[in-house]
Amino acid sequence: MASIAQPHVQSHQATAQPVVHTQRSGLWDWLTTIDHKKIGILYGVTAILFLMIGGLEAMLIRTQLVSADNTLIGPNTYNALFTMHGTTMIFLGVMPLSVAFWNYIMVLQIGARDVAFPRLNAFSYWLFLFGGIVLNMSWFFGVNEVPNQGWYGYAPLTEEAWSPTRAVDFWILSLQILGVASMLGAFNFIVTILNMRAPGMSLMRMPMFTWTTLITSILIIMAFPAITIALVFLMMDRWVGTGFYAPAAGGDPLLWQHLFWVFGHPEVYILILPAFGIVSEIVPTFSRKPLFGYSVMVYATAAIAFLGFGVWAHHMFTTGLGPTANSVFSATTMTIAIPTGVKIFNWLGTMTFGQIKFTTPMLFAVGMISQFTIGGISGVMHAVVPLDAHHNDSYFVIAHFHYVLFGGSLFGLIAGIYYWYPKVTGRVMNESFGKWNFWIMFTGFNLTFFPMHFLGLQGMPRRYYSYGEGSGWEFWNVVVSFGGFLLGFSMLMLLFNIGQSLRTGKRVGANPWDAPTLEWATTSPPPVYNFREIPQVANRDPLWAEKYGTDHENEDSEVGISIGGRELGTAGVPDDKDKETLRLQHAAEEDAGHGIHMPNPSYYPLVAALGMFLLAVGMLIDFPTLIALGPVDFSIVAVLGLITLIGGIFGWSFEPASD
Amino acid sequence: MTQAVEVVHASGGAGHAAGHGGDDHTSHTATGINHRKLAMWLFLASDCMFFGSLIATYMIYRGRAEEVFREGAGTGPFPSQLIDIPFTSVSAFVLLMSSLTMVLALAALQKNNLRGSRIWLAATSLLGATFLGGQYFEFTEFYHEGLSLQTNMFGATFFTLTGFHGLHVAIGVIWLLTLLYVSLRGGLKQKDAMSLEVAGLYWHFVDIVWIIIFTLVYLVPYEEMGTEGLEEGGEHGMRLIEFGRNALGTFF
C-alpha cells in the first residue's frame, strides 16, 4: 500500500532536478534569517564552538590533575575552570546542539515548512548566543570575575558576603538570558509539533525524535521557571539586600537547593531525551527494522519526564532532610530506572534479528546505549541513600554523570551529526575516518571516566584543585588525564571530518541511508520551502511503507488519522472532505506560481535580543548611572538596552509577517 | 491510542470560537487550535510554575519574620500590623471586574461591534490601572511604615510575590492599551478577534492568580503582633486601615 500520496517524492530523487535554491548566504541573510534550517545550522555551529571552549577547560583541568601537588593552575583558576566547564557544556553545548536538531530535523520530520513562530525562533537563537557571550565575557575581567561557585551555585556561597566579585552576577544574568531563550524555543516547538504535523500524522505516527522533542520541550517550560525564580531571589539577595538564602535574616540556604534541583533534575532529562530520540531513529534505520515497541517507547519517554519532577531531593540526601523524605525520594528515583530500562530493551529488541549495518552513526548509537547503561546503573546506586552518602561529592559522581551526559547525550548527538549530515549538506561524512573517530572517542571516553569510579570509591573528592603525594590516587589520575587528551583529540577529529566532508564528502541523494522518516523524503539539502507538496502520512515509517509496503502485523490499525483537526476513519484513506481540503491547499500553492509562500526575513529578533544583551551588560559593567531605583542603579547602557528590547518587540509585533 | 489524539482535540476545540472564518491560520492546524492561542496556553502552564515557585517560597517563609523577632534578632513591621483586608478586597474586586469587561470586549469584537470592543477594552485597561494604583498606594504605605525588601522575611517575600504579580498586570495593561491603539487606528476588526482572545487568556490568568495570592497572603490570618517591633507605635499602619474602611464605606 503506497502510504505517501505524494508522487513527487520519488521523482525528486530520480530526476535529480536542481531545485531552485533561493537561500542566499550573505552575512545580512544570516543575521535576519527566520528559516528554521538556517537557524538550526546557526545553533549547531555555535553549540559546537562552545563545546570546544568547554572541552578546552576540561583539558586544562586534566592537565592540572595529572600529577600530585601540581602547581600549574591555582585554586581560583581551577574553581573558575570547573564552573565554566559545567555551565558551558550543559547550557551552551549539549542543550543547543539538541535544539539544532529540533530546528533542522524535527520540522522536516513532521512534514512542515517552518516552525509555528519563525521570528520567535530567531529570537531564541540570538538570546542563546548573547547568553553564551555574557557568561564567557567574564574571562576578560580577570580570573576573580569568572564564575567560580560550581555549576549549581549553592547558597550561601553565592551570597555577596562569600562571593563579592561580579563572578556570580555574570553567571546569574547569563542563565536568565539562556532560560528565556530555552523557554521561548520550547513554546515554539510544542506548538509546531502539535499544530503543524502533515496530514495523516497522528501523534502516534510521529517519529520518536519528534516525540522526544515534544516531551523535552514540555520539560523545559515546566522546569525552567523554578530556576528563573531561584535566580531572581539570588539577584535580589545580592543586589537589593534581601535575605532569601541568608540564615541571619531567617532565610534558608536549602531553599536554593530545592528550587535549583526542581529545575536541575528535569534538566538532566532535557539533556538526555533528545539523544534517546536520535538513537531511536538511527537504530531502526541500520537494523532494517521498525522500532521495537514504539508505543511503549512513547509512554516510557513520557513516564521519565513525569517522574523526573518527583526525584529532585536525591541530589540533597546528605543535607539532612530526614529518613521519610530520603526514603520517598530514593523510591521515586529507583522507579525512573524502569521506563529507562524499557527504552534500552526496546533498542536491543529493535536490533535483535535485524540486519545490522555498523555505519558510523550506528556505532555512535550503540556506543551511546552501552555507555548510558553504565551511567544509568551507577545512577541507581546513588538512589540508595547510605551509598549516596559515600559517593556524594566524590569522583564517583563525576564518573556517573559523564557516563550519562557525555557517554549518553553527546554520543547520541554526535551520532545525530553523522546521521543527518547528508541531509544538511548533501554530502555524507567520511565513513572510514568516522569509524576511527568513533573508536578513538570510545576508548578515550572510557579511559577518562571509568577509572573515576575507582578514584571516587577511594575517596578522591571532586572540585579540589590538587591532591597530595601518597594519596594513592596518582596512577588512575594519569590514566584519566591520558584518556582525556585522547578524548580531546577525537573531538578534533570530529571537527576535521565535519569541515573536510563539506568539500570532499561523497554527494548523496535524498535518502542515502534508506531511512523511513519524512525528513528523507525531500532533497538534500532541502529547498527553502522543504516540501513542494505537503506529504500525506498513513504510516509510522512512511518511506519504508511506500518502498516496501506495509507489514500488517506491525501496523497499528487503531491509530486515527487527523487532518485539519478532525478525526477520520481508521483505514488510512482520507475521506472526500479531506481530499477536498488537500486539493484546495494544493491549488492555493499552485496558484502562488512556484513561489510557495514563505515568511519574510526580519531583523527585529536580533534587535530585541541585542537589547536584552545590553541590559545585562549594563547591569554587569560600571557605566554612568542614569536611573537610581533604590539600591539598583540602571546605567546608561542598561536603559538603552531596555529601550532597544521594548522597541524590538514592538517593531516585531507591528511588522507584517509576510506580504 | 486514539485517545491521545482526541485529548488534544477536545482541550482545544472547546474554547475555539468557530464563529469567524477569517482566521486562516486556524483552519490548517492539526489540532484546530490557533498557533498563538496554543502558545498562550503553554505560556500560562509555564507561568503556573513561576507563580508556584514564588507562592511556595512565600508559604515556606510565612511567619518567619515573627519567629526571628521572637528569637530576639529581627525587626517589624509584621503582616498583622500592615495587612488591610478591606482595602485589598476593593482592589481585588476591581481586578476581578476587569475580567468581566475583558469578556465583554471580546464578545463585542466577535459580533463586529467595534465601538463596544473599544469601550470595554478601555474599561479593562482602566480597571487594571486602578488595581496597579491601589498596589502603588499599598506599597508606599507599607514602605512608610518601615517595611522594605530588606526589613525582614515578610518584606522580602511580600514585595517580591505581589510585585511579580503587579508586573504581570502592568504588562497586561500595556498590551491592552496597545490593542486599543490598534483598534482606534482601525486595525482590530472582527477577523482579528484572536488577538484579543489571546490577550484575554493572559488577563484572566493574572486575575485567577490574584485570587490565590489574595487568599494566601491577605486572608489567611497571621500571628497577632500588636505593636511589637514597630518603631513609631503603629500610627501609620492605623491610617492605612482607616483608609480601607473609609473606602469600603463609600462603596456600601
Side-chain angles (χ1 to χ4, degrees):
Chain A
M1 188 207 301
S3 55
I4 291 200
Q6 193 203 15
H8 294 283
V9 174
Q10 291 303 318
S11 63
H12 269 304
Q13 266 174 291
T15 56
Q17 281 267 347
V19 177
V20 189
H21 287 273
T22 47
Q23 284 165 302
R24 292 159 297 166
S25 54
L27 179 64
W28 185 247
D29 299 303
W30 284 100
L31 292 177
T32 61
T33 185
I34 55 165
D35 176 3
H36 72 99
K37 296 182 287 300
K38 281 190 166 184
I39 292 172
I41 292 170
L42 286 172
Y43 261 111
V45 170
T46 317
I48 288 173
L49 183 78
F50 281 124
L51 277 177
M52 293 302 149
I53 294 175
L56 189 67
E57 285 153 1
M59 295 296 102
L60 291 172
I61 290 171
R62 280 327 307 175
T63 313
Q64 163 66 17
L65 292 180
V66 74
S67 62
D69 296 319
N70 198 351
T71 52
L72 178 74
I73 291 170
N76 283 345
T77 314
Y78 189 83
N79 290 349
L81 282 174
F82 72 66
T83 304
M84 292 296 276
H85 168 74
T87 310
T88 303
M89 286 306 195
I90 289 168
F91 293 102
L92 305 175
V94 172
M95 271 182 81
L97 197 52
S98 303
V99 178
F101 288 118
W102 297 354
N103 257 299
Y104 203 107
I105 302 301
M106 183 279 290
V107 176
L108 294 172
Q109 279 194 331
I110 60 169
R113 291 209 165 122
D114 207 325
V115 293
F117 304 103
R119 288 176 297 176
L120 190 67
N121 198 22
F123 186 51
S124 299
Y125 168 73
W126 294 114
L127 282 183
F128 150 58
L129 176 66
F130 286 131
I133 291 174
V134 168
L135 185 70
N136 283 283
M137 208 165 68
S138 57
W139 288 110
F140 296 101
F141 296 88
V143 76
N144 288 329
E145 304 281 334
V146 182
N148 55 7
Q149 77 288 359
W151 88 272
Y152 44 64
Y154 274 0
L157 179 63
T158 45
E159 296 278 287
E160 206 182 2
W162 314 106
S163 297
T165 68
R166 283 170 298 180
V168 175
D169 302 323
F170 277 105
W171 183 77
I172 291 174
L173 286 173
S174 159
L175 287 198
Q176 291 293 44
I177 296 174
L178 293 169
V180 175
S182 301
M183 278 189 277
L184 292 179
F187 293 132
N188 208 344
F189 290 117
I190 298 174
V191 176
T192 305
I193 293 171
L194 292 181
N195 265 354
M196 298 177 74
R197 281 165 288 143
M201 185 178 281
S202 58
L203 287 178
M204 292 309 274
R205 281 189 188 149
M206 296 196 310
M208 264 318 290
F209 181 63
T210 303
W211 259 114
T212 57
T213 306
L214 176 66
I215 290 173
T216 311
S217 297
I218 294 172
L219 279 177
I220 289 176
I221 66 167
M222 300 310 275
F224 266 79
I227 193 181
T228 306
I229 295 300
L231 288 167
V232 167
F233 292 157
L234 185 59
M235 278 157 88
M236 294 185 58
D237 274 10
R238 289 179 61 83
W239 299 355
V240 186
T242 55
F244 283 102
Y245 305 125
D252 190 345
L254 275 191
L255 177 68
W256 168 270
Q257 292 198 24
H258 281 293
L259 287 173
F260 184 85
W261 288 116
V262 164
F263 149 79
H265 202 81
E267 169 70 14
V268 173
Y269 297 110
I270 293 169
L271 295 167
I272 192 67
L273 287 181
F276 283 176
I278 292 170
V279 169
S280 303
E281 299 294 325
I282 291 173
V283 168
T285 298
F286 295 110
S287 303
R288 316 304 305 146
K289 271 177 69 191
L291 185 66
F292 179 82
Y294 169 93
S295 42
V296 177
M297 202 74 150
V298 171
Y299 300 142
T301 311
I304 290 173
F306 180 75
L307 292 171
F309 277 99
V311 301
W312 77 88
H314 69 216
H315 296 271
M316 300 165 64
F317 280 155
T318 55
T319 57
L321 297 175
T324 313
N326 281 355
S327 312
V328 169
F329 281 101
S330 172
T332 52
T333 305
M334 289 180 195
T335 317
I336 285 207
I338 298 169
T340 314
V342 164
K343 282 175 158 288
I344 290 166
F345 281 111
N346 274 350
W347 291 320
L348 299 183
T350 309
M351 285 193 274
T352 309
F353 305 125
Q355 300 164 294
I356 301 174
K357 285 201 273 185
F358 278 109
T359 57
T360 310
M362 185 62 171
L363 284 174
F364 273 100
V366 174
M368 183 275 187
I369 296 171
S370 51
Q371 287 164 168
F372 176 80
T373 306
I374 295 174
I377 289 171
S378 57
V380 181
M381 293 168 74
H382 295 149
V384 183
V385 179
L387 254 187
D388 183 75
H390 289 278
H391 297 162
N392 191 58
D393 272 341
S394 80
Y395 265 78
F396 195 88
V397 176
I398 309 274
H400 158 67
F401 69 69
H402 280 91
Y403 261 90
V404 180
L405 294 184
F406 195 143
S409 299
L410 206 54
F411 266 69
L413 289 164
I414 293 169
I417 292 176
Y418 273 97
Y419 182 58
W420 280 308
Y421 188 90
K423 183 47 61 187
V424 179
T425 62
R427 293 169 187 270
V428 72
M429 279 168 82
N430 188 322
E431 268 290 298
S432 53
F433 193 81
K435 281 173 186 159
W436 276 102
N437 188 185
F438 168 75
W439 285 113
I440 291 176
M441 193 175 287
F442 184 78
T443 313
F445 172 81
N446 285 290
L447 271 182
T448 310
F449 295 109
F450 207 81
M452 285 190 187
H453 290 110
F454 310 144
L455 284 171
L457 292 180
Q458 287 168 9
M460 182 166 167
R462 66 193 283 200
R463 298 187 166 173
Y464 280 51
Y465 82 107
S466 189
Y467 52 92
E469 193 77 54
S471 58
W473 304 328
E474 293 94 333
F475 172 72
W476 285 119
N477 267 301
V478 173
V479 175
V480 166
S481 288
F482 171 74
F485 297 135
L486 199 61
L487 194 53
F489 174 72
S490 70
M491 290 302 286
L492 293 180
M493 287 178 74
L494 173 69
L495 267 195
F496 176 79
N497 204 356
I498 291 174
Q500 184 71 6
S501 301
L502 271 182
R503 276 177 287 124
T504 61
K506 200 174 76 176
R507 280 183 187 280
V508 288
N511 191 359
W513 310 117
D514 193 14
T517 41
L518 276 187
E519 76 269 28
W520 304 103
T522 183
T523 53
S524 308
V528 69
Y529 47 81
N530 294 351
F531 300 93
R532 189 173 297 172
E533 286 179 46
I534 299 298
Q536 197 194 335
V537 181
N539 292 86
R540 250 172 222 158
D541 295 316
L543 302 199
W544 280 356
E546 182 174 67
K547 197 167 169 185
Y548 306 111
T550 50
D551 175 358
H552 284 280
E553 290 196 341
N554 286 341
E555 186 61 19
D556 187 349
S557 60
E558 291 298 308
V559 174
I561 306 156
S562 73
I563 296 179
R566 283 177 302 119
E567 192 73 21
L568 302 179
T570 52
V573 184
D575 67 17
D576 289 342
K577 271 188 176 168
D578 297 294
K579 281 182 183 156
E580 181 61 15
T581 316
L582 286 170
R583 197 190 61 74
L584 287 176
Q585 252 180 30
H586 292 177
E589 281 153 13
E590 292 301 316
D591 282 354
H594 229 268
I596 292 165
H597 221 71
M598 298 304 289
N600 292 335
S602 170
Y603 53 81
Y604 283 115
L606 177 56
V607 170
L610 197 65
M612 188 92 106
F613 175 66
L614 289 178
L615 182 61
V617 169
M619 288 174 170
L620 285 167
I621 301 168
D622 293 328
F623 294 105
T625 299
L626 199 65
I627 300 173
L629 243 179
V632 187
D633 295 339
F634 277 86
S635 72
I636 290 180
V637 176
V639 173
L640 201 72
L642 196 61
I643 294 169
T644 315
L645 173 64
I646 294 169
I649 291 171
F650 268 87
W652 167 354
S653 309
F654 286 101
E655 179 187 47
S658 58
D659 44 25
Chain B
M1 247 165 280
T2 18
Q3 212 110 40
V5 182
E6 274 165 347
V7 166
V8 174
H9 289 170
S11 64
H16 175 233
H20 49 99
D23 202 346
D24 57 331
H25 293 292
T26 312
S27 51
H28 289 316
T29 65
T31 57
I33 312 168
N34 173 280
H35 285 342
R36 282 183 294 157
K37 191 168 164 180
L38 184 55
M40 179 49 75
W41 277 111
L42 292 167
F43 168 75
L44 297 183
S46 187
D47 219 15
C48 282
M49 295 301 285
F50 275 103
F51 278 109
S53 307
L54 281 164
I55 292 171
T57 304
Y58 188 87
M59 294 312 283
I60 289 166
Y61 286 148
R62 207 175 192 276
R64 190 64 64 92
E66 292 88 333
E67 241 171 73
V68 172
F69 181 74
R70 295 260 181 256
E71 287 160 9
T75 63
F78 302 106
S80 68
Q81 298 156 347
L82 296 176
I83 294 283
D84 183 354
I85 293 175
F87 174 79
T88 316
S89 303
V90 174
S91 65
F93 180 75
V94 167
L95 192 63
L96 291 186
M97 283 308 104
S98 75
S99 264
L100 177 65
T101 55
M102 186 73 227
V103 170
L104 293 171
L106 178 62
L109 188 60
Q110 282 171 344
K111 288 176 196 142
N112 203 17
N113 175 2
L114 290 187
R115 186 161 168 274
S117 76
R118 283 169 196 155
I119 290 171
W120 292 121
L121 204 46
T124 313
S125 320
L126 192 68
L127 289 170
T130 309
F131 175 83
L132 285 176
Q135 196 169 40
Y136 176 79
F137 177 80
E138 182 188 48
F139 277 22
T140 46
E141 275 302 310
F142 283 16
Y143 187 74
H144 289 146
E145 195 55 39
L147 187 77
S148 69
L149 278 162
Q150 297 94 337
T151 310
N152 55 27
M153 224 43 196
F154 172 61
T157 52
F158 173 81
F159 284 121
T160 309
L161 173 57
T162 54
F164 193 76
H165 179 267
L167 185 69
H168 273 71
V169 178
I171 290 170
V173 170
I174 294 169
W175 191 353
L176 294 175
L177 288 175
T178 310
L179 284 173
L180 183 60
Y181 170 79
V182 173
S183 176
L184 290 170
R185 298 278 303 265
L188 194 67
K189 302 252 166 58
Q190 189 179 19
K191 68 176 170 59
D192 311 306
M194 188 53 75
S195 298
L196 198 55
E197 193 176 341
V198 171
L201 282 176
Y202 173 85
W203 190 258
H204 298 315
F205 175 80
V206 171
D207 275 14
I208 291 166
V209 170
W210 182 251
I211 297 175
I212 298 165
I213 294 176
F214 182 56
T215 309
L216 295 178
V217 175
Y218 293 86
L219 294 183
V220 178
Y222 291 86
E223 186 185 350
E224 200 52 60
M225 294 297 280
T227 54
E228 279 182 276
L230 283 184
E231 303 217 330
E232 293 168 55
E235 197 187 320
H236 299 292
M238 291 311 290
R239 201 178 64 205
L240 175 61
I241 292 166
E242 289 304 311
F243 176 85
R245 298 235 166 85
N246 293 341
L248 262 191
T250 49
F251 275 101
F252 302 105

